[in-house]
Amino acid sequence: MRRKVIFVLLLLLTLSPLTAKSFGYGLGMYGQSVLHDEGASSSGVELSLVYQPWLLPIGNPSLQLKGSMGSDMSGSLVFPYVEFGLSVDLFRIVKHPINFFANNIVAYDPALSIAYQYDTQDSSHLMSVGFSPFKLSQKDFWYEFFAFYVALDLEAKKVANWGINLVRYTYIFK
């Protein structure tokens, strides 16, 4: 009986962050450059789903699932990548010089990310490393500007593509 109680308590403790209303969705504008084929470079819209279990002042993690849709250099509709990864806010500062941007107080919290990226055009599996230097957040929204990434082909030991999100808005359900 004691083992069952301990198991149930550990299970509830593990699943408790999932019950928090910290899911969200995002919309961004991206540009991507494919290094081995410039014609495959694209730009368009990136859609994302976000799960943020906590709101920590340092090292705040979030899981993100992203998909992109845009047009390549010839104007054809493409879906260049799908990405699943972890993003970590490095720190959170409330008093900063970018506060003029919003009516309410926003926190400045730059983020690093690492993700698995599936390149649909080459059917390749890549590791994406990103940095969002201008990330502002409120309790319900994230605003990101000029977030860039580099996707690495670990088998070939080279950079496969790189890209930038000019702007990304993420709405977090509370």
Side-chain angles (χ1 to χ4, degrees):
M1 179 68 177
R2 179 183 277 176
R3 286 185 181 175
K4 288 182 182 178
V5 170
I6 291 173
F7 176 76
V8 168
L9 288 175
L10 286 175
L11 184 65
L12 288 174
L13 183 64
T14 304
L15 295 177
S16 65
L18 293 174
T19 62
K21 294 181 180 178
S22 53
F23 290 95
Y25 64 91
L27 178 67
M29 301 299 292
Y30 81 94
Q32 178 190 38
S33 179
V34 179
L35 296 182
H36 68 277
D37 182 8
E38 286 298 320
S41 297
S42 64
S43 64
V45 177
E46 181 184 80
L47 302 171
S48 59
L49 296 174
V50 174
Y51 172 63
Q52 182 181 29
W54 303 286
L55 193 57
L56 305 174
I58 297 174
N60 189 43
S62 62
L63 294 174
Q64 299 181 0
L65 175 65
K66 302 175 187 175
S68 60
M69 176 180 73
S71 59
D72 62 8
M73 298 300 280
S74 66
S76 301
L77 180 65
V78 292
F79 299 91
Y81 62 86
V82 175
E83 190 174 283
F84 178 72
L86 174 71
S87 177
V88 177
D89 297 344
L90 300 176
F91 54 83
R92 182 177 310 266
I93 298 174
V94 177
K95 294 183 180 184
H96 54 82
I98 311 174
N99 254 337
F100 71 89
F101 183 72
N103 290 336
N104 298 332
I105 294 175
V106 293
Y108 171 65
D109 48 357
L112 286 174
S113 64
I114 187 164
Y116 161 77
Q117 185 183 87
Y118 178 70
D119 186 343
T120 59
Q121 295 168 335
D122 290 339
S123 298
S124 57
H125 306 277
L126 309 171
M127 181 181 78
S128 174
V129 178
F131 180 55
S132 182
F134 302 108
K135 181 179 177 194
L136 303 172
S137 64
Q138 294 178 326
K139 66 176 188 168
D140 296 339
F141 287 96
W142 294 345
Y143 311 95
E144 294 177 77
F145 305 97
F146 308 114
F148 58 90
Y149 73 90
V150 174
L152 308 166
D153 187 344
L154 297 178
E155 289 179 9
K157 297 181 181 171
K158 65 177 185 175
V159 174
N161 62 60
W162 64 275
I164 188 167
N165 265 292
L166 298 175
V167 63
R168 181 186 304 135
Y169 300 105
T170 303
Y171 175 71
I172 304 292
F173 302 113
K174 290 290 177 185

